[in-house]
Amino acid sequence: MSNNSVMDWKEVLKNRLSASKKVEKMEEEKKEEEMALFTKNYMEWKGGGKRDYSYNNIPRFYYRLPAEDEVLQQKLREESRAVFLQRKSRELLDNEELQNLWFLLDKHQTPPMIGEEAMINYDNFLKVGEKAGAKCMQFFTARVFAKLLHSDPYGRISIMQFFNYVMRKVWLHQTRIGLSLYDVAGQGYLRESDLENYILELIPTLPQLDGLEKSFYSFYVCTAVRKIKIQDILACSFLDDLLELRDEELSKESQESNWFSAPSALRVYGQYLNLDKDHNGMLSKEELSRYGTGTFTNVFLDQVYQECLTYDGEMDYKTYLDFVLALENRKEPAALQYIFKLLDIENKGYLNVFTLNYFFRAIQEQMKLHGQEQVSFQDVKDEIFDMVKPKDPCKITLQDLVNSSQGDTVTSILIDLNGFWTYENREVLVANDNDSSADLDDT
């Protein structure tokens, strides 16, 4: 082999070796660049490094609750909540400011009056808002004026209606602040123990409960306490009914219809004691079967003791209260939900023909025992579906019952012989009522 050929091969090998080293170097640079980019993105994601400027504008929306052993953090949270509620309380109108507001409204009334009712137009309404002070500004808006504007030919609103609106708003805020003081967890709801404390401390301020023995307080408190959102308490008639007991001249009829009144609480507790024949403080299924007219079917009572909280097969006073509340308020969605859960034996979320037949068969058995004429299930089934008009013609859901406004009738037909008899003879009962009314008119 000539020297030239050897030199050529050497050059070729050198070039190849150089090229391979360059490729390796480029691969290493790529890996380093890739790792640097990964590290940069990872650090930004973890919170290190330079973050997008928009992150600074996003407010923090989650704050972890302190654990039980974090005493200092819990104390700080309690103190900060107390300060916050005090500040909110100072923002509300006090009695003197409300009196001043009434004086200004009366001074700026716009004639003519409607009967004895003073009115005010929008211009004077705004003038009062300017003079009433900063706390009142939230009430003197076009939205509020329009909300209270009805059919006045001069475009005015009633001064009394507006003042009542302001009073109602102030009362709601005061009550919310008061309830929030008992919200130990600070989560916007009252636990059973929180609500118990609230009602227990409220009892001495309600004149209608002056006659209650202190030994009965714990049973009285049981009538209304469960885990409930503060907003729900304010939105429903719960507090209206409870605080109605502040009226020293509340009529006997109003007291009897008010769940929170002393006569109502004593009535329910008395019924419980009368049912408890063995005096062990609990109710067996046999004892509960005498509730009301004593005509609930065994099938329904079996479901009650299967689905509700019991102790060795017996019911305590709190579970009994849930039972009574549901049966005495069958038109209410919450009561229907309670009963629907008992009727939904297959846990499917709906009642089908099989379920209706299962419960109505027990009604038929009771009718047979009392020597009453049997009624065809097919007829009853058709009537129930006609009353409810469910979205699915073969299934009845809880929402179907609520929407139909016939839930109380349907549930009575399925669980209570007396309820079914009342429905079956409704036309005769209406006719008898009309005859009685006519007789009274003649006399």
Side-chain angles (χ1 to χ4, degrees):
M1 187 180 290
S2 66
N3 290 333
N4 289 335
S5 297
V6 173
M7 291 298 294
D8 291 337
W9 277 107
K10 284 181 178 181
E11 290 297 325
V12 170
L13 289 172
K14 283 181 179 180
N15 292 336
R16 288 285 180 91
L17 184 61
S18 176
S20 64
K21 286 182 177 179
K22 286 181 180 179
V23 170
E24 289 178 4
K25 189 175 181 180
M26 289 174 64
E27 291 293 334
E28 288 178 2
E29 289 175 352
K30 284 182 180 179
K31 287 182 179 180
E32 289 176 359
E33 185 179 348
E34 184 179 342
M35 181 55 71
L37 185 61
F38 170 79
T39 304
K40 175 176 174 292
N41 290 332
Y42 179 77
M43 291 302 293
E44 288 181 356
W45 177 71
K46 287 287 287 182
K50 189 177 179 181
R51 302 185 69 179
D52 191 298
Y53 73 92
S54 65
Y55 292 171
N56 298 325
N57 299 324
I58 300 176
R60 183 177 178 182
F61 57 87
Y62 174 74
Y63 295 87
R64 180 181 65 84
L65 291 177
E68 291 184 3
D69 58 342
E70 296 176 328
V71 180
L72 188 60
Q73 289 90 328
Q74 283 190 343
K75 196 68 179 174
L76 175 63
R77 190 165 184 271
E78 290 173 8
E79 290 297 324
S80 61
R81 284 187 66 248
V83 171
F84 170 75
L85 292 174
Q86 288 173 6
R87 188 174 73 247
K88 285 294 181 182
S89 182
R90 288 195 295 270
E91 292 174 2
L92 300 178
L93 296 173
D94 57 29
N95 288 335
E96 185 177 339
E97 289 166 329
L98 285 170
Q99 289 177 3
N100 181 56
L101 175 61
W102 175 255
F103 171 77
L104 289 171
L105 287 169
D106 187 57
K107 184 178 179 181
H108 289 80
Q109 60 177 277
T110 308
M113 297 175 65
I114 299 179
E116 296 183 357
E117 192 168 9
M119 312 293 286
I120 187 170
N121 62 20
Y122 189 62
D123 289 337
N124 287 342
F125 178 77
L126 293 179
K127 289 178 183 177
V128 173
E130 292 174 359
K131 296 179 180 180
K135 286 186 181 180
C136 294
M137 288 304 296
Q138 59 179 311
F139 303 114
F140 288 88
T141 64
R143 181 187 293 272
V144 172
F145 189 90
K147 188 184 293 185
L148 299 175
L149 181 62
H150 297 301
S151 55
D152 182 70
Y154 302 99
R156 304 168 302 171
I157 63 172
S158 164
I159 288 178
M160 180 59 73
Q161 285 184 7
F162 173 71
F163 189 72
N164 287 338
Y165 170 83
V166 174
M167 291 277 288
R168 176 70 177 174
K169 283 287 188 181
V170 172
W171 178 83
L172 281 172
H173 286 299
Q174 285 176 338
T175 306
R176 174 155 194 170
I177 291 170
L179 288 170
S180 297
L181 292 172
Y182 292 85
D183 178 14
V184 177
Q187 293 296 288
Y189 62 79
L190 299 183
R191 299 169 301 179
E192 185 172 343
S193 58
D194 301 331
L195 197 53
E196 281 179 351
N197 291 331
Y198 173 73
I199 293 179
L200 199 59
E201 293 183 18
L202 194 64
I203 288 176
T205 70
L206 304 176
Q208 292 296 335
L209 301 181
D210 286 344
L212 280 185
E213 295 288 339
K214 286 191 176 181
S215 59
F216 185 68
Y217 278 12
S218 60
F219 293 99
Y220 175 80
V221 167
C222 281
T223 57
V225 294
R226 289 297 179 269
K227 176 178 173 179
I228 182 170
K229 288 184 178 180
I230 292 176
Q231 285 183 331
D232 293 340
I233 294 177
L234 296 173
C236 70
S237 62
F238 175 93
L239 279 177
D240 290 338
D241 294 343
L242 182 60
L243 298 181
E244 185 182 40
L245 303 181
R246 288 177 172 171
D247 185 359
E248 297 183 11
E249 299 179 357
L250 191 65
S251 67
K252 185 177 179 181
E253 292 76 13
S254 298
Q255 289 186 52
E256 289 175 351
S257 63
N258 188 324
W259 173 260
F260 301 102
S261 69
S264 177
L266 291 168
R267 171 184 64 83
V268 175
Y269 185 60
Q271 288 174 347
Y272 184 80
L273 294 179
N274 289 333
L275 292 173
D276 182 19
K277 293 301 181 183
D278 57 8
H279 305 295
N280 68 342
M282 309 281 277
L283 297 183
S284 65
K285 189 180 80 169
E286 182 182 351
E287 290 171 331
L288 186 65
S289 67
R290 293 192 293 271
Y291 173 81
T293 56
T295 52
F296 287 115
T297 65
N298 285 329
V299 170
F300 172 66
L301 292 173
D302 286 341
Q303 281 297 108
V304 171
Y305 277 80
Q306 184 174 329
E307 294 292 333
C308 297
L309 179 64
T310 57
Y311 302 88
D312 294 327
E314 295 200 319
M315 178 184 290
D316 71 346
Y317 187 58
K318 287 186 178 181
T319 306
Y320 173 75
L321 283 172
D322 291 339
F323 178 80
V324 173
L325 277 168
L327 294 177
E328 290 190 358
N329 301 275
R330 295 185 209 183
K331 290 182 178 292
E332 299 296 326
L336 286 176
Q337 184 178 15
Y338 176 96
I339 300 174
F340 187 88
K341 182 182 177 182
L342 301 176
L343 297 178
D344 185 14
I345 54 175
E346 297 179 287
N347 294 318
K348 291 183 176 179
Y350 61 81
L351 309 180
N352 53 23
V353 175
F354 171 81
T355 307
L356 300 183
N357 187 35
Y358 176 79
F359 282 97
F360 189 72
R361 200 162 54 231
I363 295 289
Q364 291 176 318
E365 290 173 1
Q366 281 197 344
M367 294 177 70
K368 189 175 180 180
L369 287 174
H370 288 82
Q372 296 179 5
E373 184 181 350
Q374 292 293 298
V375 177
S376 167
F377 167 70
Q378 290 298 325
D379 294 340
V380 174
K381 182 259 296 181
D382 291 341
E383 288 187 36
I384 288 175
F385 275 92
D386 286 343
M387 279 192 289
V388 177
K389 295 179 176 59
K391 289 184 177 180
D392 187 323
C394 299
K395 302 173 183 177
I396 296 176
T397 65
L398 172 60
Q399 195 58 50
D400 290 330
L401 282 179
V402 174
N403 293 342
S404 69
S405 300
Q406 298 291 332
D408 57 321
T409 303
V410 172
T411 54
S412 297
I413 289 172
L414 296 174
I415 66 176
D416 182 9
L417 176 61
N418 186 62
F420 172 73
W421 185 88
T422 302
Y423 170 75
E424 190 70 5
N425 295 276
R426 59 195 181 281
E427 295 177 358
V428 176
L429 294 173
V430 169
N432 289 340
D433 287 343
N434 291 336
D435 291 342
S436 299
S437 300
D439 292 340
L440 288 173
D441 292 339
D442 292 339
T443 57

